[in-house]
Amino acid sequence: MKTRAAVLRAVSTDRPYATTAPVAVEELELEAPREGEVLVKIAAASLCHSDLSVVNGDRVRPLPMALGHEAVGVVVEAGPGVRRVTPGDHVALVFVPSCGSCADCAQGRPALCAAAAAANGSGGLLHGPSLLTDAAGGRVHHQLGVSAFAEHAVVAQESLVRIAHDVPFAVASMFGCAVLTGAGAVINTAALRPGQSAVVYGLGGVGLSAVLGARAAGAYPIVAVDPVAEKRELALRLGASHAYAPDEAPAAIRELTSGGAEVAVEAVGSPAVMAACLDVVGRGGKVVSVGLPAPGRTLEVPALAFAGEGKSLLGSYMGDAVPSRDIPRFLDLWRAGLMPVELMHTGTLPLTGINDALEELASGRAIRQVLDTNGLLDG
């Protein structure tokens, strides 16, 4: 079948993206689902900083690539052997399609699935190579097994989590990446307990989701840190108890927590911010890094912080989530009013607005913009 999709053919650091237009909406040929694969009509696709990192070359991916990895849709067709979903189901798309049988999957850490990492790195799908070709017959790669900036996508059934029909598409679109990664970082990786103190550096979609996770876990105080005043204000609306600019934060955190926070989440992708997080946690504190720095960047911190002060630095990919478990329970928290992710929705655009959306994201103004790829959203 034919489908329109947002395709990146060469990395670009030239801005503004709204006028340089590094991504083009093209008509592609999409092959039918193979064994274990599913055709999904995309209802809403959110923009994440990881998408921008592919465009500007911070995350090296095979090109050309059909972008988009955070989305929700409706199942159109299930290929042979598919048991997890049926046509008509609403599904959240997940960017790590865990195989279920490798060592990490067997240990309950599907975000680290070796088979998924290999498939995602190749630009293919878990069950085989890319199913996308352009008008000239050239292969177009998938982004993280999803490629959701499109009208339709074929994905592995392992990339899908069935969700209830009552969840608005724009809300549901944020649960497959931002909420899994941010809330998962504090709930799964840090195992934050009620009454513990938490700090979040970086208030994009992932960082604000970490604030939501800390709120749901019963943390206090919850300190949000970002240079952008509007993002700090939004963090307070989402459940942060305090919010500071980076230069104000260290002294304020030490005063609020009597010496240092118990958990700090780094959601920027900056070694300098990782070091700042390690500095503001107290003895025995945990730093959870969820940001993705550019390859080649290194971290330099006082070595004595670990054995001497009992601090730990933990990496968290996809929030150490088990999507089939965590997306439903996080949606239950949304229903209970404890994860009002709709407050992070800062704009809705058509698929053709992809470059405008990338520029808003690069500027720091946007939190979560949603592409309405099939005209299914109300606004």
Side-chain angles (χ1 to χ4, degrees), residues 44-48 50-51 68-73 91-97 111 120 144 146 148 158-163 167-184 205-206 209 317-324 326-328 330-331 339 341 344 368:
S46 299
L47 270 83
C48 171
S50 294
D51 302 313
H69 71 280
E70 183 181 66
V72 65
V91 288
L93 283 72
V94 178
F95 64 92
V96 180
N120 285 354
L144 298 175
V146 176
E158 294 86 352
S159 292
L160 301 175
V161 174
R162 186 166 48 198
I163 62 173
V167 185
F169 287 133
V171 168
S173 69
M174 299 181 229
F175 278 79
C177 177
V179 177
L180 275 187
T181 301
V206 170
S209 293
Y317 190 56
M318 202 173 73
D320 282 321
V322 179
S324 60
D326 290 337
I327 289 178
F330 290 161
L331 282 170
M339 281 193 175
V341 299
M344 299 195 299
R368 268 307 188 263

Side-chain angles (χ1 to χ4, degrees), residues 118-130:
N120 285 354
S122 72
L125 299 176
L126 186 64
H127 299 294
S130 171

Side-chain angles (χ1 to χ4, degrees), residues 19-79:
T19 54
T20 60
V23 179
V25 176
E26 301 182 18
E27 185 175 75
L28 302 178
E29 185 72 27
L30 177 62
E31 296 176 39
R34 296 168 296 208
E35 180 88 17
E37 295 176 343
V38 179
L39 174 65
V40 177
K41 183 176 184 177
I42 303 299
S46 299
L47 270 83
C48 171
H49 203 277
S50 294
D51 302 313
L52 183 62
S53 296
V54 176
V55 173
N56 67 21
D58 283 348
R59 305 299 296 169
V60 178
R61 298 293 183 188
L63 300 178
M65 175 168 279
L67 299 179
H69 71 280
E70 183 181 66
V72 65
V74 180
V75 173
V76 176
E77 178 186 349

Side-chain angles (χ1 to χ4, degrees), residues 19-353:
T19 54
T20 60
V23 179
V25 176
E26 301 182 18
E27 185 175 75
L28 302 178
E29 185 72 27
L30 177 62
E31 296 176 39
R34 296 168 296 208
E35 180 88 17
E37 295 176 343
V38 179
L39 174 65
V40 177
K41 183 176 184 177
I42 303 299
S46 299
L47 270 83
C48 171
H49 203 277
S50 294
D51 302 313
L52 183 62
S53 296
V54 176
V55 173
N56 67 21
D58 283 348
R59 305 299 296 169
V60 178
R61 298 293 183 188
L63 300 178
M65 175 168 279
L67 299 179
H69 71 280
E70 183 181 66
V72 65
V74 180
V75 173
V76 176
E77 178 186 349
V82 170
R83 300 289 182 266
R84 299 187 181 196
V85 297
T86 58
D89 284 345
H90 289 195
V91 288
L93 283 72
V94 178
F95 64 92
V96 180
S98 56
C99 71
S101 59
C102 70
D104 288 302
C105 287
Q107 293 173 13
R109 305 191 71 189
L112 300 181
C113 173
N120 285 354
S122 72
L125 299 176
L126 186 64
H127 299 294
S130 171
L131 295 174
L132 293 166
T133 52
D134 61 21
R139 187 66 62 185
V140 176
H141 298 90
H142 298 267
Q143 184 186 8
L144 298 175
V146 176
S147 292
F149 296 163
E151 295 169 332
H152 292 83
V154 170
V155 300
Q157 65 174 333
E158 294 86 352
S159 292
L160 301 175
V161 174
R162 186 166 48 198
I163 62 173
H165 285 223
D166 67 320
V167 185
F169 287 133
V171 168
S173 69
M174 299 181 229
F175 278 79
C177 177
V179 177
L180 275 187
T181 301
V186 295
I187 293 172
N188 296 327
T189 311
L192 187 71
R193 299 190 303 273
Q196 287 191 306
S197 54
V199 177
V200 179
Y201 270 76
L203 302 177
V206 170
L208 289 170
S209 293
V211 169
L212 289 172
R215 173 193 180 184
Y220 188 86
I222 302 170
V223 182
V225 183
D226 197 279
V228 180
E230 292 79 8
K231 291 183 176 180
R232 298 197 299 269
E233 293 168 6
L234 179 54
L236 293 170
R237 293 174 62 198
L238 290 171
S241 58
H242 304 78
Y244 300 101
D247 59 339
E248 306 168 322
I253 291 167
R254 292 189 184 96
E255 182 176 354
L256 284 168
T257 60
S258 300
E262 288 162 288
V263 172
V265 175
E266 181 278 322
V268 179
S270 163
V273 178
M274 291 182 201
C277 286
L278 197 65
D279 181 58
V280 300
V281 295
R283 295 175 66 83
K286 299 176 183 178
V287 174
V288 180
S289 177
V290 299
L292 292 171
R297 299 192 69 185
T298 58
L299 173 66
E300 184 174 340
V301 295
L304 191 60
F306 302 107
E309 300 177 38
K311 297 180 182 181
S312 57
L313 175 58
L314 306 171
S316 180
Y317 190 56
M318 202 173 73
D320 282 321
V322 179
S324 60
R325 175 197 69 194
D326 290 337
I327 289 178
R329 71 170 174 163
F330 290 161
L331 282 170
D332 284 344
L333 291 171
W334 168 76
R335 287 191 181 87
L338 296 174
M339 281 193 175
V341 299
E342 62 273 11
L343 297 179
M344 299 195 299
H345 181 188
T346 52
T348 300
L349 299 90
L351 182 59
T352 52

